[in-house]
Amino acid sequence: MSHNYVIVLHGGAGVNPDREYAQVEAHLAGLVDRCDDMLAGGASALDMVEFAVSQMESSGLYVAGRGSAPNDQGVVECDAAIMDGARMKAGGVCAAADIAEPIRAARAVLDHTPYILLAGDGAKAFAREHNLEMVADPATHFVLPVGIEAEEMLQLDEGLAHGTVGAVALDMHGGLAAATSTGGLLGKRAGRVGDTPITGIGNWADSEVAVSCTGIGEAFIYAGGARDLAARMAYGGESLEQAGDALLAAVARNRGDGGLIAVDRMGNVTMPFNSAGMKRAVSGSRIDRRVSIL
Ligand code: ASP
């Protein structure tokens, strides 16, 4: 046992300079401290990333879970994925309405099915079967107004046009895990699915590295996504930092921007972004807690 552990969180790429982020910063600081304590107590990386993302989903402070942005039909459809690098097992849900904490459904897919991704009504029925909390009344549950036009919403707050939350962790047993959850893009066409729930693109963990991405999903898919970062390290001999920067350069070449968080099995961390800011936090046995927005 190395006893080295790390937790890294992101609350989405893209920051509105006119918006106040003190509440987000305080939330990230409190959450990363709790995760640090639990990892120090022996918690697994998988449990930790699920817990961290569910807390961000239910806070309503980010464009995921309660804070998700409605699509062009005024419906909130969420995407989420989780992966356990130690067991090479993943789970996800996409275009899923009415699941209060989509990452819990992704974890249930990982734990209870041989599949990786359940979509739409199938995902919803699966969540119900597993007694996960469902949204009783979208009009009061979601923080962003459901049922108003995307253009009106953009006038309200440009910073909410898209967003995602994610967590990656290394536990003291050497396990790596990643979890990512999003409401996607504000006003997206009903049924649109981005990078977030696609294992290997928006989210990835293996025995070497764990990665969670945020930004324009289509560009991350063209660029190869999180598994491209892992492959650059495995086949190209690139460092974690070089591989993260190279992925974001490819995202930019593919008409997008965004950011990512990643941790490798040695406990190295990278948190690059080429968007205007990325809400993020890190803490670990050998890393002092840091929370940043810009
Ligand atoms: N990647 C997400 C998507 O394209 C959005 C985001 O991270 O802001 O659905």
Side-chain angles (χ1 to χ4, degrees):
M1 227 191 315
S2 74
H3 294 290
N4 187 16
Y5 64 83
V6 179
I7 176 79
V8 195
L9 311 175
H10 75 72
V15 167
N16 180 346
D18 299 329
R19 201 168 163 217
E20 175 57 58
Y21 287 97
Q23 213 188 339
V24 168
E25 284 184 89
H27 185 255
L28 285 175
L31 185 56
V32 85
D33 282 351
R34 280 176 78 186
C35 293
D36 185 301
D37 284 349
M38 288 189 262
L39 284 168
S44 74
L46 182 64
D47 287 345
M48 214 65 285
V49 296
E50 180 192 2
F51 169 77
V53 166
S54 72
Q55 292 287 306
M56 289 192 275
E57 286 175 338
S58 55
S59 72
L61 292 172
Y62 315 88
V63 186
R66 279 194 75 204
S68 292
N71 65 20
D72 65 353
Q73 304 299 310
V75 176
V76 173
E77 289 184 337
C78 291
D79 304 328
I82 188 165
M83 186 159 185
D84 180 359
R87 285 187 295 156
M88 284 298 275
K89 252 193 139 275
V93 292
C94 66
D98 298 339
I99 304 174
E101 294 175 345
I103 203 65
R104 301 277 189 209
R107 174 70 190 264
V109 171
L110 182 157
D111 283 340
H112 303 298
T113 81
Y115 313 124
I116 295 184
L117 188 57
L118 295 180
D121 288 345
K124 194 164 146 176
F126 175 81
R128 277 219 175 87
E129 263 169 52
H130 284 80
N131 297 319
L132 298 179
E133 189 191 337
M134 304 303 288
V135 173
D137 177 9
T140 53
H141 176 83
F142 292 106
V143 175
L144 300 180
V146 168
I148 73 164
E149 299 296 322
E151 277 155 37
E152 288 174 63
M153 189 91 84
L154 276 175
Q155 282 161 15
L156 288 181
D157 194 337
E158 192 103 32
L160 300 174
H162 64 86
T164 292
V165 301
V168 295
L170 168 71
D171 63 37
M172 56 164 64
H173 318 286
L176 290 159
T180 311
S181 175
T182 189
L185 312 179
L186 171 63
K188 67 189 177 184
R189 194 184 170 98
R192 178 266 184 188
V193 173
D195 60 317
T196 303
I198 313 293
T199 291
I201 306 286
N203 196 71
W204 178 256
D206 57 24
S207 57
E208 299 294 320
V209 64
V211 189
S212 170
C213 300
T214 171
I216 304 303
E218 287 73 8
F220 277 82
I221 295 171
Y222 287 126
R227 202 167 178 188
D228 181 73
L229 186 160
R232 284 174 174 280
M233 294 175 71
Y235 312 140
E238 291 184 16
S239 69
L240 181 74
E241 198 181 340
Q242 286 168 335
D245 291 348
L247 173 57
L248 286 190
V251 167
R253 284 196 300 277
N254 284 285
R255 306 170 295 279
D257 64 4
L260 61 91
I261 54 173
V263 58
D264 69 15
R265 71 182 169 83
M266 306 305 292
N268 296 308
V269 169
T270 193
M271 304 184 282
F273 54 93
N274 55 16
S275 46
M278 178 174 77
K279 294 137 245 160
R280 60 203 186 278
V282 60
S283 188
S285 50
R286 299 177 194 163
I287 304 175
D288 289 339
R289 184 241 274 167
R290 273 196 330 268
V291 179
S292 319
I293 301 288
L294 292 170

